[in-house]
Each structure stands twice: as C-alpha cells, then as structure tokens.
Amino acid sequence: MVTTIKNTEADSAARLFQAKRFALWIGIAGMMMVFTSLTSAYIVRKAAGNWLEFKLPDIFFYNALLAIASSVVLQASYAAFKREKFVLYKVLLALTLLMGVAFLLGQYSGWMQLVDMGIFLQGNPSGSFVFVLSGLHALHLLVGLTSLSVALFQALSLPDRLTERRKFRFELTLTFWHFLTFLWVYLMALWMYLA
Amino acid sequence: MATTTQEVSKHQIDQLIEEYGYDDHFHEHHHEGDKYQSGFIQKYIFSQDHKIIARQFLITGMIWGILGGLMSLIFRLQLGFPEGNMAWLKPLLGKWIIVNDGIGTLDPEFYYALVTIHGTVIVFFVLTAGLSGTFSNLLIPLQIGARDMASPFLNMLSYWFFFLASVVMFVSLFLSTGPFAGGWVAYPPLSALPEASSGSGAGMTLWLISLVLFVVSVLLGGINYITTVLNLRTKGMNMWRLPLTIWSFFITAIIGLLSFPVLAAGFFLLMFDRLLGTSFYLNEIFINGHALDRVGGSPILYQHLFWFLGHPEVYIIILPAMGLVSEVMSTHARKPIFGYKAMVYSIASIGFLSFLVWAHHMYVAGINPFIANFFIVFTLIIAVPSAVKVFNWITTIYGSSYRFNAASMFAVGFVSMFISGGLTGIFLGNAVLDIPLHDTYFVVAHFHVVMGVAAFFGMFAGIYHWFPKMFGRFMDETLGKLHFWGTLIGAYAVFIPMHYLGMAGVARRYYKFDNFDAFSHFAGINKFITIAAIITFVFQLIFVINFFYSIWKGRKMTSRNPWGSTTLEWTTPIHAGHGNWPGKLPAVQRWPYDYSKNGRDFIPQIEPQSDAEKDEFH
Ligand code: HEM
Ligand SMILES: [Cu+2]
C-alpha cells in the first residue's frame, strides 16, 4: 500500500548539516582504505621473507595511550560545550591541542631512536614501512591539529554561545580527531600482533 | 514529439509540484550560492552549480578524447605502415621524428610514450572523469530532486583538481625527455627508476603528480555523490524509486571510494622508491651492467596494489555507461526496464565481485596457481550478473516500438559491444587460456571492445539524450545517426581483426615486427586496422562538430520533456537556475518506469498513484 505524499516541508539547512556529517564519514572510509592497503602490503611483504626484525621504540606505544587520552579530553570538551560550560570547554580544547603537539613530538623522537638503531627510511622494507605508515599518520595529524587550532581560535574569539552551526563544526573536528586516535591504535595493535 | 500525445503540459507539471511538492524553504535562505551566480567568472569558471560543473567535466573530457584519439592514430600509422615516411609529422612532433635521407621515422621511445599516454588519458580523463564526472554531476541532483550536491564547494574542487591533473599531464607531453613511456599500468622498475628510460625521469614524475591530483578529484567527487544520493533525495524518492542511472553512479562512487585510495597508496610507495631511495618495489636490478644497491622489494607488490584498483576501475568506467543505457533504452522503448530490481542487484553484485578478481591480470606474473584458481572462479562468476543485465536490456527492447534516434541507437550499440567484449573476457578469465593470450593483441581487442568502445557508446547515448537538458537545444539527428553507423562499423573493423592477431600470438607493445618472420604476413591486417581507425576517427569529428554547432545553433527545445520521460530532471524549467526548481521541490509518488501504463504513454514520477495502482505492488 502506497501513500500519496502531499505538501511536506523541512529545512534545507538542517538537511545539509546532516549530509555533511555523513560526508566526513565517507571521507574517513577513503582514508582508511589507504592505510588498510598499506598494512596489507606490509603483511604480504613480511610473509615473503628477507625481512629485518627489530623492536619498535616504546614511545610509539606510549603515544597510543596519549592519543586515547586526548580523544577522551576532546569528547569532554564537546560535552562541556553542549552544557554551555564555556570555560571548561575552552580549557579542555586547549589541552587537546597540547596533547596533539606532544604526540607529534613523541613521534619525532621515535623516528630519531629508529635512526640511532640503524633503521633508516632506505634499506630493508621492514624499516621503510614503519616510517611511511607513521609519517602518513603524522600528515593526517597535521590536518587534525590545524582544525583544532581553528576551533580554539574561534572558541576564544567568538562570543560564548551554543549555536547549531558551531555544534556542527565541533562534531566534525571531534569525529576526525577520534579517527586519528583509532588509526594510531590500529597501527600499534597490528605491530604488536605481528611482532 | 509526436509520440507523446498525452504529454503532461508544463502547466500541469508546475501544478503537481505546487500541490504535492516538498517545501524546503530553499529560496528563503540567504545562499552563499547566490553570490557565485553573479559574475561571469563565478558563473562559468569557478562555478559551484552542478549543472555547470557537469559541462566542464564533459568538455575537458572531450578535449582529452580528441588528443588521446590522435595519439592512437600516430602509433597506428607506425604499426600499419612501419616503412612509411613520417617526415610530414615533423612540424608537429619535432625531434621525435628522426629524418634520415628524407625518410622520417617515429622515435621508438616516443611510440611507447604515445601508447602510454593514450591509455592513461582515455581510461582516467575521458572514461572516468568525462563519463561519470559529467553524468553524476548532471543527473544526481536533478533525478533525485535535490537543489545541488551536498557540498557544492567540494564539487567545484573536484573539477579543479581534475583540471590541474590535466594541465600537468599536458605539460609532460612537451618535456625534452618525453612523457612517461612505461605503459598505462606503470609497472616498476620502469616507473620506479628515473634512469630506466628517458620517459621514466621527469615524464614519470609529472605522470605521477597528475594521477595523484586525479585521485583527489575522484574522491572529492565520489564523497559528494554518495552523500547526496543517501541524504538529499526528495520526499517519496526511496531507494527503490531511483532511476537506474542513479543506482549505477552511486555504486560506481562506492567502488571508486574503496579502490582509488589503494592506487594512491601504491603510488605513494612508488614515489618513495623514486625520490627517497626506498626499495618497496625494487630488488637486484642491473642497469647498464652494474647492480643497484636496492634490494628487498617486490614488483609484484605494485601489481597487486595497482590491479586492486585497476580491475574495479574498469567497472567504474562501465557501470555509469550501463546506467545511462538502461535509462535511454527504457525511455525510447516506451516500456518499463525489464527486471528493475534484478538490474539493481546485478549492479551491486558486479560492484562487490569487482574487488575479488584483480589477480586475473597477473596469471603470468608468477602467482601461486592455487590462488589463481580462486580468481578464475570469481572472474567467471562476474559473467552472471553481466549476463542478467544483457538479458534485461534485450527483453526491454524486444517487441517494443523502439524509437530509433542517435541516443537510442547508441544504447543498442552498447549492448552489442558489451556482449562481444564480455565473451572474450571469459576466455581470458581462464588462466590456462590466458597464458598464451596474455600480452597479445587479443587482450587489447578484449578491453577495447568491452570497455573502450562500449563505454564510449554509453557516453554518446547519454550525450545525445541529455544534450537538451544541458544546453536547451538538440543535436542534429542525421549527423548523429551517421556518427552511430560510422562508429559501430568502424570499431568492429578495427577490433575484430585484432582478436585474430592475438590468437596468432602477435604481442602487444611492440614497435615493429620486422624481426619476427612468423608475423610478417600480418602486415596487411595491420594496414587494414590502421585505415579503419583513421576512418572511425573522422566519424568522431562529425560528433564534435555536431556537438559544438548545436550548443549555439541547434534546434531549440520548446517543451520541457521532449522524450516523454518520467524522471524528475524533465520537470525543471528549460533553463533551470540555481536550485533547479524555482519553487518547491517535486515530491515523488512512483517508480521511474511507468511507461505505457493504464493506456497512457507515460506517467511522470511526480503524479500521485491512483487508488487502483496503490493496491498493486512493485
Ligand atoms: C565477463 C567479463 C570479463 C572477464 C571474464 C574479463 C577478463 C579479463 C582478463 C582475464 C584480463 C587479463 C588478460 C591478460 O592481461 O592476459 C582482462 C583484461 C582487461 N579487461 Fe576484462 N574481463 C571482463 C570484462 C571486462 C569489462 C566489463 C571491462 C571494462 C569495462 C574489462 C576491461 C579490461 C581491461 C582494461 C583489461 C586489460 C588491462 C591491460 O592489461 O592493459 N574487462 N579481462
Ligand atoms: Cu580485470
């Protein structure tokens, strides 16, 4: 049984927010495919032998914990924003940004430790893969840090007000940040599993 | 159109939309959009309107089509007339024609460059961007009843990334070392070592940059298409009321989203190998007698990453063509498409299976024969949904009073090509048969017929059919039919003989065969193919002239719905502005294929179902 649709209405702006939220997820799926294919290349290549084994610097694993913590903090900031606790919201937002920068510095020291161990970008692919995967993650992280900075700048410069538009933008940043965390945890889990 | 005697008049359409339509308060909002409609630059160049972006994709694609076609004529001249004098091409090709004693010959390096760039631009720029970019943009918002894409801005970026990719590729043609010459699949080590050949240096660098820009374009476009189809359908437009065009663009975008990033990852590692000295794809290579210190990599890894995109890519090309053909056929047959749901399920299962067959391109690359069996099985299974679609097309036109015009004839031609090329795919899908056929002209014939020519036919059907929607005028029918017959006969004349060459073992990617006595008696066939290719190309010029002439001088469209179609795009004003519908959005009451129903020629999707209709199910 079919019913006739008659004279309905809705707001085009609200529909667009919904659509764009969805678009971010689709974009994340695309980025995830890049990492999935690189990690499967990693697995296949490893299975083929002639593979240099080495231990990853611990900092990479501590960074996974830091990433999870930063996601929790950003989520708390979002919750504060929704409850209109604007001071808490700004403090937590700034804290997330700091944690993100700390993460990046940690990655850098990890790369330096690798170099000290004699693992370079060139040479056996087992080392190259670590640099390429973590480097590509770092590139994505730069995008995340940029959007956090924009969010923080707006938080500090705009009047304290909860609007649909700002909530929507925050949600996009939040989703992307969680994705970055997930990605690093995924890479670390995979490494632990394969080691 | 005389056939549409019961045409729903413009007045009735507006009334239906007004009475039943969906008010999204679009025209009350202040739109960022309205700004960019103002100046010429914002309206026609940096436009965010999907209708303009569609035309940009189409025209850029056409330019590449002409360039790519011309390239093929030059290397066909070499193959058909290896002893011929090419000195007359010197003004165009410069140093790539080597003149000795007044006899000009084509530089072999440049021959390879032509083959490579021909393949790359036809596959990516013409049949991906020009086909799915054009029609996804034009039809998705119009046929689902949306104001525009979910993100018009990203949509604009999608075109401009394509444009940049085009510019970079074009520049690479003029490098003194020549463009990339290692084949469109860009296998390492030729692609990974700048010193491997002259095109592998700067030419390959630009080739890679161009294709990475292109991948960005495809992804931005695809994100928009998927989001728009899932989120911005008008009221009543549930998934089972989508025209098959939209289904095919939708699945195509999903395939692209899942496969192009893999290509990007493969290219990413290739760039590292080229620029930073890694060895992902390189192992124990000797160049000019000395060994490189690059060890531990595997060129097969690249093949896996490439074909994981590469095979889905061929469906990215053909699915939109299939969607266009279904729609054009049903409209001109004045019959519902046969087996609508079966069509949707076969598009979806082709999409799914296309990810499980990539290694059929690698049967002779040294993969494990047991693994090859897995790929054989899935490859042959793809033939099932493909056959379902062919059956449904034939059944749709069978016994109909088919309106023969340029669009509908190209749609039939598509089916013919798809059958011919699909059959040879079944040969190649069997590893045992593929071992002698791989890298021969049989493969070249297979994919040109099933993908190259068939997709062009789908694209032509789409262009002739939706030209009035794009430009408010019609293309010339007589020239269109001439174009059809010339292309149909010409394409078969080019490609049928190639199957024969391939079965006789003639290898693809050879500059000349004079060292192989076994192939000397094929010189006549090669001449024939070359002449047929030139004639076929001339028929394409008829199309190009017709196209541009008709934009400005074609017969004007006087009614909104010239073909008597049921779908929403024909309910907008002839020159639809920003937001597509001037007032409310149309609401959808029925599926898109109510042709010849209840004694009526067609019933548009916006017309409510009668009580009797409501009780039957679709
Ligand atoms: C029944 C369906 C099909 C089967 C079983 C099939 C099978 C194959 C196989 C096994 C090959 C590899 C041959 C070789 O390199 O030795 C091949 C090549 C190819 N096929 Fe198909 N195919 C089918 C349909 C299609 C369709 C629909 C398209 C495109 C729309 C297509 C496009 C191509 C292309 C582009 C190549 C060659 C790529 C290259 O090496 O440059 N095929 N096909
Ligand atoms: Cu394939």
Side-chain angles (χ1 to χ4, degrees):
Chain A
M1 182 71 202
V2 188
T3 42
T4 302
I5 291 148
K6 197 158 179 183
N7 231 340
T8 47
E9 56 182 315
D11 192 75
S12 61
R15 274 183 11 134
L16 273 183
F17 281 160
Q18 181 53 38
K20 285 182 183 163
R21 246 178 242 133
F22 186 85
L24 178 62
W25 279 105
I26 307 273
I28 286 177
M31 293 177 236
M32 203 53 221
M33 278 311 289
V34 175
F35 285 91
T36 318
S37 53
L38 287 176
T39 45
S40 41
Y42 180 87
I43 295 170
V44 170
R45 176 60 195 83
K46 183 176 186 212
N50 181 13
W51 186 256
L52 182 71
E53 297 285 354
F54 60 90
K55 192 173 160 305
L56 274 191
D58 289 339
I59 180 74
F60 286 137
F61 296 96
Y62 296 135
N63 255 348
L65 299 180
L66 180 62
I68 295 175
S70 78
S71 266
V72 173
V73 174
L74 191 61
Q75 187 73 42
S77 166
Y78 174 64
F81 179 67
K82 277 204 302 195
R83 280 181 284 120
E84 304 193 51
K85 297 191 174 149
F86 292 107
V87 178
L88 185 63
Y89 144 66
K90 286 179 218 174
V91 170
L92 293 178
L93 189 59
L95 184 59
T96 318
L97 184 61
L98 281 181
M99 292 168 98
V101 173
F103 179 96
L104 201 56
L105 294 176
Q107 297 292 85
Y108 182 75
S109 86
W111 295 327
M112 288 302 118
Q113 287 178 39
L114 282 173
V115 171
D116 289 343
M117 286 157 60
I119 307 291
F120 303 103
L121 174 63
Q122 293 96 335
N124 192 288
S126 74
S128 315
F129 266 114
V130 175
F131 281 102
V132 164
L133 284 167
S134 57
L136 201 56
H137 177 267
L139 274 182
H140 285 72
L141 186 71
L142 286 181
V143 178
L145 288 177
T146 313
S147 46
L148 269 187
S149 310
V150 174
L152 188 62
F153 176 76
Q154 294 203 329
L156 297 176
S157 58
L158 296 178
D160 288 340
R161 205 145 32 88
L162 176 67
T163 65
E164 273 308 304
R165 188 169 186 83
R166 283 177 72 179
K167 210 176 108 199
F168 161 72
R169 301 183 79 157
F170 200 150
E171 278 167 6
L172 295 189
T173 313
L174 186 66
T175 308
F176 190 68
W177 194 256
H178 287 338
F179 164 65
L180 292 172
T181 298
F182 167 79
L183 202 55
W184 190 248
V185 172
Y186 159 72
L187 290 175
M188 283 302 106
L190 190 83
W191 257 304
M192 285 210 294
Y193 175 75
L194 292 177
Chain B
M1 277 284 125
T3 40
T4 55
T5 41
Q6 298 153 3
E7 193 180 339
V8 185
S9 76
K10 172 174 153 210
H11 185 67
Q12 280 168 293
I13 295 175
D14 287 338
Q15 217 174 4
L16 280 170
I17 295 182
E18 193 44 42
E19 188 175 350
Y20 297 97
Y22 169 36
D23 191 356
D24 62 349
H25 304 284
F26 176 80
H27 295 282
E28 296 157 27
H29 287 291
H30 246 295
H31 281 281
E32 298 156 42
D34 293 333
K35 272 183 274 151
Y36 56 72
Q37 290 271 311
S38 45
F40 176 84
I41 297 218
Q42 280 105 355
K43 187 160 178 195
Y44 290 107
I45 309 214
F46 291 105
S47 171
Q48 300 191 17
D49 188 302
H50 70 101
K51 302 183 287 297
I52 303 280
I53 295 176
R55 290 181 232 177
Q56 293 174 326
F57 269 108
L58 179 58
I59 290 176
T60 317
M62 279 173 68
I63 293 171
W64 277 115
I66 298 168
L67 287 176
L70 283 174
M71 290 175 194
S72 74
L73 293 192
I74 298 174
F75 66 70
R76 267 319 316 178
L77 279 178
Q78 166 63 31
L79 290 168
F81 304 91
E83 310 303 332
N85 181 357
M86 292 209 203
W88 60 277
L89 276 169
K90 182 111 184 138
L92 180 66
L93 299 183
K95 72 166 194 174
W96 302 114
I97 300 285
I98 304 157
V99 183
N100 251 338
D101 302 329
I103 306 283
T105 44
L106 182 65
D107 187 323
E109 185 65 30
F110 199 64
Y111 168 86
Y112 286 115
L114 287 171
V115 176
T116 302
I117 305 296
H118 162 80
T120 309
V121 303
I122 301 276
V123 166
F124 292 111
F125 293 177
V126 185
L127 295 180
T128 306
L131 175 54
S132 114
T134 302
F135 286 101
S136 301
N137 264 300
L138 179 72
L139 294 179
I140 288 178
L142 282 172
Q143 288 195 329
I144 67 173
R147 299 293 182 188
D148 204 312
M149 290 287 177
S151 172
F153 177 70
L154 290 187
N155 207 28
M156 173 184 83
L157 282 187
S158 163
Y159 173 73
W160 286 102
F161 270 99
F162 169 43
F163 184 81
L164 276 181
S166 294
V167 171
V168 174
M169 186 66 77
F170 191 71
V171 168
S172 86
L173 301 178
F174 299 98
L175 292 171
S176 64
T177 46
F180 181 52
W184 79 280
V185 295
Y187 284 170
L190 269 184
S191 59
L193 293 170
E195 61 271 40
S197 82
S198 77
S200 304
M204 179 59 188
T205 303
L206 292 191
W207 190 93
L208 265 181
I209 294 174
S210 169
L211 282 202
V212 168
L213 292 169
F214 185 76
V215 170
V216 174
S217 159
V218 173
L219 293 179
L220 291 176
I223 290 173
N224 246 323
Y225 308 153
I226 298 173
T227 306
T228 308
V229 171
L230 287 181
N231 290 277
L232 297 182
R233 301 188 311 275
T234 184
K235 279 278 142 60
M237 181 61 95
N238 61 43
M239 294 301 271
W240 290 121
R241 286 177 176 173
L242 287 176
L244 287 173
T245 34
I246 303 301
W247 267 111
S248 69
F249 303 147
F250 174 60
I251 305 277
T252 300
I254 296 178
I255 303 178
L257 183 83
L258 297 178
S259 63
F260 269 101
V262 180
L263 181 72
F267 282 170
F268 192 62
L269 298 186
L270 189 56
M271 285 179 178
F272 272 83
D273 274 8
R274 290 176 62 78
L275 302 171
L276 298 172
T278 54
S279 314
F280 288 108
Y281 302 136
L282 295 168
N283 194 20
E284 300 181 8
I285 311 262
F286 288 80
I287 284 197
N288 298 333
H290 40 91
L292 304 181
D293 62 345
R294 314 275 283 273
V295 286
S298 154
I300 305 290
L301 179 62
Y302 176 87
Q303 296 197 13
H304 280 294
L305 292 172
F306 182 86
W307 286 113
F308 190 86
L309 158 96
H311 187 85
E313 166 66 15
V314 306
Y315 286 97
I316 289 173
I317 288 176
I318 208 72
L319 287 180
M322 289 176 162
L324 296 170
V325 163
S326 302
E327 188 67 20
V328 169
M329 267 195 173
S330 172
T331 306
H332 294 292
R334 315 309 293 160
K335 269 174 72 180
I337 190 82
F338 187 85
Y340 170 78
K341 284 199 175 175
M343 288 301 228
V344 173
Y345 289 128
S346 22
I347 296 174
S349 46
I350 288 176
F352 175 73
L353 289 169
S354 72
F355 285 100
L356 301 177
V357 301
W358 77 89
H360 67 209
H361 297 273
M362 300 165 60
Y363 287 146
V364 299
I367 59 168
N368 184 322
F370 290 106
I371 296 184
N373 278 331
F374 168 91
F375 288 101
I376 294 175
V377 170
F378 282 104
T379 300
L380 297 183
I381 291 179
I382 284 210
V384 176
S386 310
V388 167
K389 297 193 71 87
V390 168
F391 175 81
N392 287 351
W393 286 316
I394 295 177
T395 316
T396 301
I397 47 176
Y398 183 78
S400 72
S401 41
Y402 202 62
R403 292 198 303 231
F404 283 98
N405 51 34
S408 72
M409 283 155 80
F410 270 109
V412 179
F414 169 90
V415 179
S416 161
M417 288 292 164
F418 188 70
I419 297 175
S420 316
L423 286 177
T424 53
I426 296 175
F427 287 68
L428 296 171
N430 291 286
V432 181
L433 293 177
D434 184 57
I435 289 167
L437 290 173
H438 177 74
D439 265 347
T440 67
Y441 272 90
F442 193 85
V443 176
V444 178
H446 157 69
F447 71 77
H448 275 89
V449 173
V450 75
M451 173 172 80
V453 183
F456 268 109
F457 272 50
M459 189 167 166
F460 289 137
I463 293 174
Y464 284 107
H465 187 86
W466 278 283
F467 191 89
K469 193 71 240 168
M470 281 192 254
F471 298 103
R473 292 172 186 267
F474 292 88
M475 287 179 74
D476 185 88
E477 268 302 320
T478 315
L479 288 181
K481 286 181 183 154
L482 191 65
H483 172 219
F484 168 75
W485 286 112
T487 313
L488 183 83
I489 297 169
Y492 273 131
V494 170
F495 293 112
I496 288 178
M498 277 193 199
H499 291 89
Y500 174 64
L501 292 182
M503 284 191 280
V506 180
R508 69 191 278 209
R509 300 192 163 124
Y510 274 43
Y511 168 73
K512 244 189 193 181
F513 295 95
D514 52 359
N515 289 337
F516 305 93
D517 281 343
F519 300 146
S520 57
H521 58 282
F522 296 124
I525 295 188
N526 267 323
K527 273 196 190 61
F528 175 82
I529 294 177
T530 299
I531 293 169
I534 295 172
I535 297 175
T536 314
F537 184 81
V538 171
F539 276 95
Q540 307 317 302
L541 295 182
I542 298 180
F543 164 76
V544 174
I545 293 168
N546 189 356
F547 182 89
F548 285 104
Y549 179 83
S550 305
I551 289 182
W552 289 284
K553 294 279 163 65
R555 181 164 62 83
K556 272 202 181 138
M557 200 173 160
T558 49
S559 71
R560 278 188 197 182
N561 188 359
W563 310 126
S565 292
T566 57
T567 39
L568 298 183
E569 76 272 30
W570 305 102
T571 64
T572 70
I574 293 179
H575 294 283
H578 174 56
N580 295 337
W581 285 270
K584 294 180 181 177
L585 287 174
V588 166
Q589 316 284 2
R590 56 178 71 239
W591 79 324
Y593 296 105
D594 273 337
Y595 289 107
S596 306
K597 190 176 184 194
N598 300 342
R600 292 174 58 188
D601 185 34
F602 73 102
I603 311 176
Q605 276 191 286
I606 55 174
E607 192 177 306
Q609 303 194 12
S610 66
D611 290 338
E613 278 179 305
K614 282 179 182 173
D615 293 331
E616 45 179 273
F617 25 65
H618 277 302

